[in-house]
Structures are given as C-alpha cells and as structure tokens.
Amino acid sequence: MEPVAAVHADWVGEALGIELTRTSSLPLARRLYRALRSWVQSGRLASGCRLPSSRRLARELGVGRNSVLDAIDQLVAEGFLEPRPGAGTFVADLPFGRIEAPAEEASGGGAPRAALSPRGERLLRFSAASGGHHEAFPPGVPALDRFPRELWERLLRRHQRRAPDAWLDYRTQGGVTALREVLCDYLRLSRSVRCRPEQVLVVQGAQQGFELIARMLADAGDTVWMEEPGYGGAQACFDASGLALVPVPVDGEGLDPARVPSGHAAPRLIYVTPSHQYPSGVTMSLARRLALLEAAETHGAWIVEDDYDSEFRYDQRPIAALQGLSESARVIYVGTLSKVLYPGLRLGYLVLPESLVEPFRRANARLHREGQYAVQAALGEFIAAGHFSRHVRRMRDCYRRRQALLRRVLAPAVARGLELSQGQAGMHLVAWLGDRALEAELVARGAAAGVTLSPLSGFYLEAPGRPGLVLGYAGTRDDEIRRAGRWLAETWLALVEERAAATNVPG
Ligand SMILES: Cc1ncc(COP(=O)(O)O)c(C=O)c1O
C-alpha cells in the first residue's frame, strides 16, 4: 500500500477502509488500533497529523463508533495519539515517524533499474542522465531570470479568472482561437509561413508535435531522414515511435539529400532545422531547400521543419521558413515557446497542411488531450499586446552580449587552436575538437569543476561523431560565463601543453 501522506486526515479513512478489506480473525477495534499504530511507527502518519473525528471515521468505515473510540483511546493511552481539546486528535510528536529514503536513493545512487522493453532501453540512449545540471553551459536553455514574471503572472491570473466554463471541458478546437490567430499573424509576417489560424494546432511543446506527426504519418519500420548530427529530442521521439532513423550528413549548407546512405526504403518523414541547424548552427542554403522539397515530392514524404530558435539572429536578416517556399504543402512547420519564453511552459504548435488539420486535431485530442486554455489565452494577449516582441528584442540583445562575452573569455584558447562555430544566431556555440580523447577529457574535467560541457559526438546517430563541445550561453549568467569560460580556456591551454610535452618526450 502507498504511504498515507503526511498530514492528510482525509485519506486516513480511506486507508483504514482498505485495511479492513483484508481478512482477519481479530476484533474490529484491535485491527483499527494495529493499523494506526503501525502507520505512526513507520512514519506513514507523520507527527502532527490530525485524525478525522471518531464519528466521521465510523461513518466512512461503516463500523460502530465504539470500535473506533476503543482503538483511539488505546493509542492515546499509549502516547501514540494526543487529544487537543477543541481541535481534535493528533499524531503525537514522536522520535520515529520519519519516512527514510531507501539507502541508495539517499546516497544518490537511485533504485536498481527495472527490466525495460527494448524500446525503453533504446530511449534511454537518447536521454541524458538527470542531475549534474550546472549553471554553465547547458544547451537550449533561455535566460530564465530575464522572463517578465510579474507581467506574465498578472496575465495568467486575469485569464484564469475569466475562463469560460467551456474551457473546463474536453475540447477538440486545436487550441484557443485568439492564440492561434496571433500566432498565425506572427508566423506569416516574421517567418513567411503560409497559414490560416485554422491550420495551427497548439500542442504541449515541439516534442509532442513530433510524436503526433510520427504516429499519424508513419508506421513502425518506416524511414525518417534525420540530420547528422542532430537534435536528440526528435531522435528519441521518432525512434520510440518505431521508425527507422537514417542519418543524413549535414555540411555547410545543411542536410544534403544527395548524401542519403544507400540501402534504405524511401522516407516517410524528413526532419530538418533549416533556419539554424541543431547543433551545428548552419543555415540551410536555398539550393538545398529546393532540393529537399523536390526529394519530398519524389518520395511522397513529409518534411518536418523544426523552427525552434529562429527569433535569435544577430548579424543576419531573418531567414524565411522552408514551409513558405513549398507550393505542394508537404511541409509541417513546428514551433515552440520553449526558447523564446521558457521550457516549463510546455507550449508549442504545428502549422498543418489543410488536409491534415482535422485528422491531427482529432488524434491529438484522443492521444494527448487538449488543455491549458487559460495559459494559451494569456499567451495570446502576451503576443497581441507586444510583450512577446519586446521580450524577443531584449533576449536577442542579451544573447548577443553573452555570446560576445563567451568569445572574449575563450579568446586565449582560440589563439591556441580552439575552433568556435560562427554563431550568427542561436543560443549556443560549438567548439570543434581534434579528437574524441580530448572531448572525453574536457567533459570529465568539466563535470568535476561544475561546468556542463555537452559532447558533440553525442548528437550523432552513428559513431564516431565529430568531436566537439556544445556550449549553451543564453541561459548562463554573465559572471558564470566568465568563471566557466576562463576555466575552459585554462583547461584547454593546459591540455594543449600536456599533449605537446607528451609528443616531445624523447625516446
Ligand atoms: C532543435 C530543437 N527543437 C525543439 C526544441 C524544443 O522542444 P520543446 O518544445 O519540446 O521544449 C528544442 C529544445 O531543446 C531543440 O533544441
């Protein structure tokens, strides 16, 4: 049985009810006494927890009140419970009564792993172990401390208060209309996406969008072309949906459809991040975009365009979405609020070709359910009132500065051969490294120094990936960029020296 939660008197009656369903030859009062005493001793009932009244317990359990009173009186007499006149009966303050975490959990080791399905085991390969989340340099995290929380909370409260009853119900509208309308305006103007509000389906983040796409447009065993290197979230989603992931190399122009490895069935899906390839940072050239659209047409495949952080461009004009180039409506545009606002919001959206709108709405409502309408409405106002574009402008300035700062502190390492990506956009830089040993060494030393260095080779589906480090700077405070950046520069220089010394050793 689950622990009876610490102070919830309401649950005591239910827990005792379950206890009484067990067969026993003991008298009722004795059984109630034993159950309550063992829960107090084990900590399931914590000190200070108020018991329901004897009258209520008797009613809920369908037993005579005397049996309940007998049990409680006995526990009071023994000191397990204490009556407080006018307030009720409480669990006494006793030295035992703490629920201890299992030893392994307390020491951080975690419980032994249960046997997972082969799919579950594969999924873990795409899922980093939790913990060790340092301030520098987690990729993909925005500046959470800069989010206008007071304003946002005001909007949330207002829309929660005004929520019509219909928002409490099951719905299949694809999201709050006002939000879909402003998103549509935004996408048409700033991203050159072709859309009408009806085509927008609000989902709980890009991840849920990928999942829906995989389930609705492909079957187990179908092929999906993936960028190599690429985004682990999409890799995990498509793999867990049973698709065959085919890594297609990314070069300076993005994914190259001419370099698809041979021997695979034609793709059902093609996943790309054309505005800002994740993680390399490359922008897909027009020639490649056209080639990709043609390949999708030839194979009858759907292109999944993940436009996750295109708001953050620094030295370049915004680049129009691939979706807007396509005449044939074979592109599904995926947007997320995780980067522009914050990941815990869990809001994203799909812009669907007309032919997919109705089936996707229905399936989403069946598979994941819609909801969070008040939050959606608050977001709609956040965008319509101009707060969204103001926040984007501020974050763009903030990230531009943070990137420049990171480059400055890494300059001594760059002078000695550390190669950084161009970084005209986005929220992270890539430091390319010469070999895997160096990558592993830096990642390990980083972990010990409280610096998260994400190994680039981990973004590849097929080993060996190109070694490097993905350095997220957007969500890292300036002082932390200085500390961790200096540490990285010094560690790099020390490693370069060590290696030079090792190769110069005579003999
Ligand atoms: C390439 C890419 N796409 C999408 C996302 C956003 O995913 P979600 O909306 O599920 O938070 C991320 C976040 O890390 C990302 O890096």
Side-chain angles (χ1 to χ4, degrees):
M1 193 177 60
E2 288 299 308
V4 176
V7 287
H8 272 265
D10 284 351
W11 300 345
V12 174
E14 287 172 35
L16 285 172
I18 295 170
E19 196 59 33
L20 294 186
T21 58
R22 298 178 212 283
T23 45
S24 165
S25 56
L26 289 177
L28 198 61
R30 195 74 197 148
R31 293 173 67 192
L32 294 176
Y33 159 82
R34 281 196 170 193
L36 287 169
R37 196 184 73 169
S38 79
W39 294 346
V40 172
Q41 280 179 319
S42 68
R44 286 177 170 182
L45 275 179
S47 299
C49 169
R50 186 161 68 87
L51 291 195
S53 69
S54 55
R55 200 181 306 277
R56 178 173 153 196
L57 271 181
R59 193 177 58 245
E60 285 179 4
L61 297 173
V63 301
R65 188 161 167 234
N66 279 348
S67 300
V68 177
L69 281 173
D70 279 356
I72 290 179
D73 288 348
Q74 176 79 25
L75 290 161
V76 169
E78 291 174 6
F80 289 99
L81 298 180
E82 69 185 21
R84 294 185 199 159
T89 304
F90 293 79
V91 176
D93 192 8
L94 297 165
F96 43 74
R98 309 261 176 281
I99 300 176
E100 301 295 341
E104 269 174 324
E105 210 176 289
S107 65
R113 167 93 67 76
L116 302 175
S117 66
R119 175 175 38 207
E121 287 295 346
R122 267 202 325 277
L123 184 54
L124 288 190
R125 279 199 257 126
F126 296 105
S127 317
S130 54
H133 193 72
H134 306 118
E135 290 206 37
F137 295 104
V141 181
L144 302 176
D145 55 333
R146 302 294 175 96
F147 184 67
R149 285 187 59 162
E150 271 182 34
L151 167 72
W152 178 240
E153 280 155 22
R154 235 183 5 257
L155 292 178
L156 282 179
R157 275 197 301 276
R158 181 181 319 151
H159 287 277
Q160 191 66 58
R161 255 197 324 270
R162 288 183 186 167
D165 286 350
W167 287 1
L168 309 186
D169 200 354
Y170 290 113
R171 285 163 70 86
T172 54
Q173 259 57 37
V176 166
T177 310
L179 173 62
R180 287 187 286 123
E181 283 170 358
V182 286
L183 280 174
C184 198
D185 278 351
Y186 166 66
L187 294 170
R188 269 199 306 246
L189 288 171
S190 91
R191 308 292 307 119
S192 303
V193 169
R194 297 171 196 233
C195 72
R196 297 182 308 112
E198 290 71 20
Q199 291 172 260
V200 177
L201 173 67
V202 179
V203 289
Q204 290 168 33
Q207 202 66 8
Q208 195 183 79
F210 302 146
E211 168 121 51
L212 198 58
I213 292 169
R215 294 192 185 270
M216 291 300 287
L217 299 177
D219 279 315
D222 281 348
T223 298
V224 50
W225 288 357
M226 300 296 291
E227 295 174 325
E228 178 83 329
Y231 175 46
Q235 293 168 350
C237 229
F238 293 135
D239 186 89
S241 299
L243 308 193
L245 278 56
V246 174
V248 183
V250 167
D251 61 17
E253 292 187 68
L255 176 143
D256 186 355
R259 290 176 64 199
V260 176
S262 55
H264 297 281
R268 282 291 292 159
L269 301 176
I270 302 173
Y271 167 84
V272 277
T273 48
S275 300
H276 186 232
Q277 202 274 328
Y278 192 84
S280 74
V282 165
T283 301
M284 189 181 279
S285 67
L286 180 61
R288 281 287 165 80
R289 287 170 190 242
L290 296 173
L292 200 61
L293 289 171
E294 196 181 314
E297 195 64 38
T298 308
H299 297 299
W302 298 95
I303 295 178
V304 182
E305 177 177 20
D306 178 7
D307 203 22
Y308 63 105
D309 75 349
S310 56
E311 288 82 5
F312 304 124
R313 308 205 72 82
Y314 312 120
D315 305 323
Q316 284 175 318
R317 295 160 73 85
I319 290 155
L322 176 62
Q323 192 263 16
L325 266 185
S326 164
E327 297 286 347
S328 60
R330 298 214 68 86
V331 182
I332 301 172
Y333 179 92
V334 184
T336 176
L337 277 307
S338 291
K339 310 293 148 178
V340 197
L341 302 186
Y342 59 97
L345 182 61
R346 300 317 306 145
L347 279 182
Y349 47 88
L350 303 180
V351 178
L352 296 160
E354 302 275 1
S355 59
L356 295 180
V357 170
E358 212 262 337
F360 267 59
R361 267 196 205 178
R362 274 173 46 199
N364 183 50
R366 173 49 84 197
L367 208 54
H368 302 300
R369 298 261 186 246
E370 292 189 10
Q372 305 288 11
Y373 298 120
V375 181
Q376 292 187 29
L379 176 60
E381 185 178 344
F382 189 80
I383 298 174
H387 304 304
F388 179 84
S389 44
R390 193 168 314 121
H391 183 61
V392 167
R393 278 199 304 279
R394 284 196 186 131
M395 291 308 95
R396 207 178 275 149
D397 286 348
C398 170
Y399 299 164
R400 182 192 283 119
R401 266 193 312 96
R402 284 185 173 174
Q403 189 195 122
L405 176 60
L406 179 57
R407 285 186 186 283
R408 262 200 315 282
V409 286
L410 289 180
V414 171
R416 293 291 307 274
L418 183 72
E419 195 190 331
L420 290 181
S421 59
Q422 289 204 335
Q424 291 142 334
M427 302 161 73
H428 67 266
L429 287 176
V430 176
W432 310 102
L433 300 173
D435 60 72
R436 285 291 288 276
L438 197 53
E439 185 190 72
E441 183 68 33
L442 281 164
V443 171
R445 290 195 192 191
V451 180
T452 298
L453 299 173
S454 308
L456 180 65
S457 58
F459 291 74
Y460 285 78
L461 285 167
E462 272 180 3
R466 186 175 172 191
L469 301 172
V470 179
L471 306 172
Y473 53 79
T476 307
R477 289 192 330 267
D478 294 6
D479 55 343
E480 180 64 3
I481 292 181
R482 277 189 209 96
R483 175 196 78 86
R486 282 192 191 123
W487 173 88
L488 178 56
E490 280 160 20
T491 309
W492 165 266
L493 294 174
L495 280 169
V496 169
E497 294 295 328
E498 278 170 31
R499 290 183 153 217
T503 47
N504 288 336
V505 171

